[in-house]
Amino acid sequence: MESLRNDAQRRILMGFFKTGPGEYGEGDEFLGLKVPQTREVVRLVWKDFPLNEIPELLMCRWHEVRLCGLLILVYKFEKLATKRLENTTEAIRGRDEIVNLYLQYAEQANNWDLVDLSVHKILGHWLLLPSNLGDRDYKIKVLDDLAQSPCLWKQRMSIVCSWKTSQQGDPTWCLRYAEFHIHDLMHKAAIKREQGQASLSLAEREQARLLAKAVGWMLREMGKRVSEDLLRDFLRQHAHEMPRTMLRYAIEKLPAPERQYWMAVPQTFTPATKSRPNRFAGIPVSQFVDMILKGDDEAMYYILHNRLSHQLRERYEAYQYHLYDYFEDIIDDFFLYLRENGRYPYESLKRLKNKDSFKSWLLNTFRNYLSNRAEAEETPLNICSSENSTDNTDASELSYEQKITIISHLIAYAHQVFFPRVRFIFLRSLLTLLNKKRAVPDKEMAEALDMTPLSYRVAVYRMKQNITMFRQRLLKGEKLRLDAEHIIMGEQINDDFEHLYPTLFRLYIQCIDTLKTSTAVKNLRQQYLEERGFAVHEPSPDSPTKISIHTFWEKFNRWIIT
């Protein structure tokens, strides 16, 4: 390859692949060979080239030599992936060895041509074939690690490998990592805005543009090879948050009037929240029906809060001036309506003959729900009235002492029966009800607890369900079975209810120490202390918090039923 060196072509390539200071290919060196010349060398040597000598090519300073090493891997992999060999033991073992080698030296594919000429033919093809390394979950983990890597070229690999899967009619890989990279690009831009920087640096803009082009390109290929309707469905969900470069690439093959329509969709900006691939990303909406019928609450949460959020918001905006609550609260209430409205597990879904109509069913149900709720909210809601409660006892007739007793026993019992993470969420929720200062956002708290925002919301929902059940039992006069330690705790809360806040805060701090993630939670509280001058939920020692039982009872009841 060095004997084919061309200095004139070398200078052209160094400019084309952005090798200058601060550019994405900074420091890369070229011999000046064109790709057909490199391929000719590969065709001469690949059959007899030992696999254990390929790392020497991949570590070479010359760009074209690294490409040669990658193309040798491609040729060897394709030989082992033929129909005749694809299921044989030796072929599977050989392909896995090539994939391991490719992943080990992934960072050496340090420009877009090195990635684009190799990843879909090795990693993308491997996704479709049997492997001894692991099942589909293992393959998802491999791609998740690439997608979340700080290395631009590994991020590009995670999406460009879906070119092969889309060619074979499987859109799930493309949709999964397109969604992740959209949110990741938004996260990085939001961080810059929060830091007061108007825009990304030149190098950061170039890298973001390279990734955006790759995502748009793969979405276009998915629409062309699999289904344009699936592409349109993805655009309806994400066009408002896609970078314009990505959107232009994705809609390139659509009719001109439709391209104009999508480009006119206004961009929206969201707060900086760290993104990671979700286990439901990339699954077609129609496939969620079976999961939901099995009682998978997280699947329905994902559909409402992620997949169809934009379309649900459009329907909400037509009614928002007639509703008391914000969109996120409405979505949570709608979930409860579906879950608890006498149809669980969504009995009406069993009657759907065509699962593709699930989305239409859900959107129409939401529109009817909003209409009914807007009509109902013309009359103010009385939280404690027996009309709006499933309790046999009229909660509004309880005496001051009875309310304190119920709250005291409820806190003690919840503290006794909940696992540490849910106990922490419960105590944090009570402190938030009592605290005039803003709480740490749920998404940040979920990350500190090593939970996804989705699983955090589901945990909150299930915790509220249990609290509602415990409360109803107490209202009926039933005694909750407490052990000796929690009997004492309930008595202490009952005896000194006016100082409930410091008592709850002490339990909250003790609960943090029982969490496996206590360090992350403490660091998050310390971060808020340094940034805002106070720790969230911290009671003031100078002015002990006095609790109004009437106010707390009203807030507590509204919290558990919404």
Side-chain angles (χ1 to χ4, degrees):
M1 295 185 76
E2 288 183 345
S3 70
L4 298 172
R5 180 171 180 151
N6 183 329
D7 287 335
Q9 180 69 16
R10 174 177 171 273
R11 286 190 290 272
I12 294 172
L13 291 175
M14 290 181 69
F16 183 72
F17 286 105
K18 306 289 185 183
T19 61
E23 296 179 317
Y24 61 77
E26 181 179 359
D28 204 356
E29 297 185 68
F30 288 78
L31 288 169
L33 277 67
K34 294 183 179 180
V35 173
Q37 292 176 287
T38 303
R39 287 191 182 277
E40 185 60 34
V41 173
V42 173
R43 275 192 287 270
L44 292 171
V45 304
W46 75 270
K47 288 184 181 179
D48 302 319
F49 203 95
L51 203 61
N52 61 0
E53 291 185 18
I54 289 179
E56 189 175 348
L57 301 182
L58 299 179
M59 296 300 293
C60 182
R61 59 185 284 208
W62 303 115
H63 182 100
E64 295 90 341
V65 176
R66 295 198 302 279
L67 176 58
C68 181
L70 292 169
L71 291 179
I72 291 174
L73 289 178
V74 169
Y75 279 47
K76 287 181 177 292
F77 190 94
E78 289 182 332
K79 174 68 175 178
L80 296 171
T82 58
K83 286 290 183 184
R84 185 173 62 86
L85 296 175
E86 69 175 28
N87 291 314
T88 63
T89 303
E90 288 186 7
I92 293 173
R93 186 163 53 244
R95 291 197 302 265
D96 289 346
E97 190 176 356
I98 291 172
V99 167
N100 280 331
L101 185 61
Y102 186 82
L103 292 171
Q104 184 180 351
Y105 291 92
E107 290 190 15
Q108 298 306 116
N110 59 349
N111 216 310
W112 56 265
D113 64 319
L114 302 179
V115 172
D116 297 353
L117 290 172
S118 63
V119 69
H120 65 292
K121 293 184 177 180
I122 298 176
L123 206 54
H125 204 168
W126 174 70
L127 297 175
L128 301 167
L129 296 170
S131 169
N132 292 329
L133 296 177
D135 57 7
R136 184 182 173 89
D137 288 340
Y138 174 79
K139 294 175 180 180
I140 287 174
K141 181 182 182 302
V142 169
L143 263 63
D144 284 357
D145 290 342
L146 291 174
Q148 296 176 90
S149 168
C151 175
L152 167 65
W153 310 115
K154 287 186 176 182
Q155 294 172 23
R156 189 177 177 97
M157 284 178 180
S158 69
I159 184 66
V160 176
C161 72
S162 69
W163 192 5
K164 185 69 174 182
T165 59
S166 294
Q167 288 173 353
Q168 299 299 315
D170 182 355
T172 58
W173 299 97
C174 175
L175 296 175
R176 177 184 179 82
Y177 294 101
E179 180 178 286
F180 169 77
H181 287 303
I182 288 170
H183 292 158
D184 192 52
L185 289 169
M186 290 177 66
H187 164 68
K188 290 172 182 174
I191 288 177
K192 291 294 180 182
R193 288 197 302 274
E194 290 182 0
Q195 292 174 349
Q197 299 180 28
S199 63
L200 303 173
S201 67
L202 176 61
E204 290 170 330
R205 282 202 304 275
E206 282 189 342
Q207 292 185 16
R209 193 179 300 114
L210 273 175
L211 190 56
K213 285 180 178 180
V215 174
W217 169 31
M218 288 302 106
L219 286 170
R220 183 187 71 213
E221 290 299 312
M222 186 276 299
K224 182 171 71 174
R225 305 280 185 170
V226 183
S227 167
E228 283 192 351
D229 289 339
L230 201 56
L231 172 60
R232 292 185 181 98
D233 192 46
F234 186 87
L235 293 173
R236 278 190 286 272
Q237 180 190 353
H238 293 295
H240 64 287
E241 55 191 7
M242 291 169 70
R244 299 298 92 173
T245 300
M246 182 190 298
L247 185 57
R248 274 195 297 273
Y249 271 67
I251 63 177
E252 194 172 17
K253 298 299 181 182
L254 297 179
E258 194 173 354
R259 292 202 302 272
Q260 293 172 3
Y261 167 78
W262 289 118
M263 290 305 296
V265 172
Q267 269 191 296
T268 57
F269 299 98
T270 59
T273 54
K274 190 173 181 181
S275 181
R276 57 181 173 181
N278 188 282
R279 73 183 178 99
F280 301 113
I283 300 175
V285 173
S286 59
Q287 291 185 19
F288 278 86
V289 176
D290 292 333
M291 299 181 201
I292 291 166
L293 288 174
K294 291 176 182 175
D296 192 331
D297 289 343
E298 284 197 45
M300 180 54 91
Y301 254 96
Y302 177 81
I303 283 284
L304 296 178
H305 287 277
N306 296 79
R307 186 61 66 84
L308 298 180
S309 176
H310 194 60
Q311 290 159 274
L312 293 169
R313 185 180 286 277
E314 289 176 354
R315 284 155 178 76
Y316 165 78
E317 287 172 353
Y319 291 91
Q320 63 178 319
Y321 297 111
H322 306 285
L323 300 168
Y324 294 143
D325 292 330
Y326 292 110
F327 175 70
E328 291 294 334
D329 296 325
I330 290 286
I331 290 295
D332 283 348
D333 290 352
F334 179 58
F335 170 77
L336 294 175
Y337 167 79
L338 290 171
R339 176 85 157 66
E340 301 296 337
N341 201 37
R343 302 185 220 172
Y344 181 77
Y346 311 99
E347 292 293 335
S348 56
L349 287 180
K350 293 180 180 178
R351 297 193 293 271
L352 285 179
K353 295 180 180 178
N354 182 5
K355 291 181 181 178
D356 289 333
S357 62
F358 167 59
K359 185 174 76 170
S360 300
W361 172 83
L362 191 62
L363 294 174
N364 290 335
T365 304
F366 185 62
R367 182 187 60 202
N368 295 336
Y369 169 78
L370 290 174
S371 176
N372 294 337
R373 179 160 176 163
E375 184 178 341
E377 289 188 1
E378 291 179 1
T379 305
L381 177 66
N382 180 3
I383 298 298
C384 294
S385 71
S386 56
E387 294 178 353
N388 297 297
S389 174
T390 57
D391 303 329
N392 295 333
T393 306
D394 189 344
S396 61
E397 295 178 357
L398 293 176
S399 67
Y400 175 91
E401 290 77 12
Q402 287 174 315
K403 290 176 182 177
I404 290 179
T405 302
I406 288 172
I407 291 294
S408 303
H409 282 77
L410 194 57
I411 293 171
Y413 189 66
H415 202 271
Q416 174 182 292
V417 300
F418 285 160
F419 290 109
R421 191 179 280 173
V422 180
R423 189 187 312 147
F424 170 83
I425 295 173
F426 172 63
L427 291 169
R428 176 177 178 269
S429 301
L430 291 184
L431 287 166
T432 302
L433 287 177
L434 295 167
N435 199 330
K436 295 180 181 178
K437 297 173 182 176
R438 183 173 296 176
V440 177
D442 285 350
K443 288 184 178 179
E444 293 184 34
M445 189 56 71
E447 187 176 343
L449 290 171
D450 197 25
M451 303 169 72
T452 64
L454 192 62
S455 60
Y456 183 88
R457 294 177 75 89
V458 171
V460 171
Y461 160 70
R462 288 173 176 160
M463 178 266 294
K464 285 186 179 184
Q465 269 199 318
N466 285 320
I467 290 297
T468 304
M469 180 180 66
F470 301 155
R471 169 182 168 276
Q472 289 173 355
R473 289 167 60 187
L474 287 164
L475 283 170
K476 292 175 183 177
E478 184 178 338
K479 298 287 186 182
L480 299 180
R481 189 176 298 172
L482 295 171
D483 59 30
E485 175 189 350
H486 293 93
I487 289 174
I488 295 171
M489 179 190 296
E491 290 173 351
Q492 288 175 342
I493 294 171
N494 192 77
D495 293 342
D496 198 12
F497 191 83
E498 286 192 346
H499 294 89
L500 175 64
Y501 195 109
T503 303
L504 287 177
F505 187 75
R506 175 175 51 80
L507 296 172
Y508 170 74
I509 295 298
Q510 290 173 357
C511 185
I512 289 176
D513 293 332
T514 68
L515 294 170
K516 292 181 180 178
T517 55
S518 59
T519 303
V521 175
K522 289 176 181 177
N523 289 343
L524 185 61
R525 291 184 65 252
Q526 183 61 29
Q527 171 193 330
Y528 268 67
L529 176 64
E530 293 171 355
E531 291 179 357
R532 295 163 176 77
F534 65 91
V536 177
H537 307 312
E538 190 81 55
S540 171
D542 300 325
S543 53
T545 308
K546 299 263 184 178
I547 303 300
S548 162
I549 181 60
H550 176 74
T551 303
F552 180 72
W553 184 260
E554 291 280 340
K555 292 174 76 173
F556 178 79
N557 279 284
R558 180 163 184 83
W559 171 68
I560 62 173
I561 69 171
T562 56

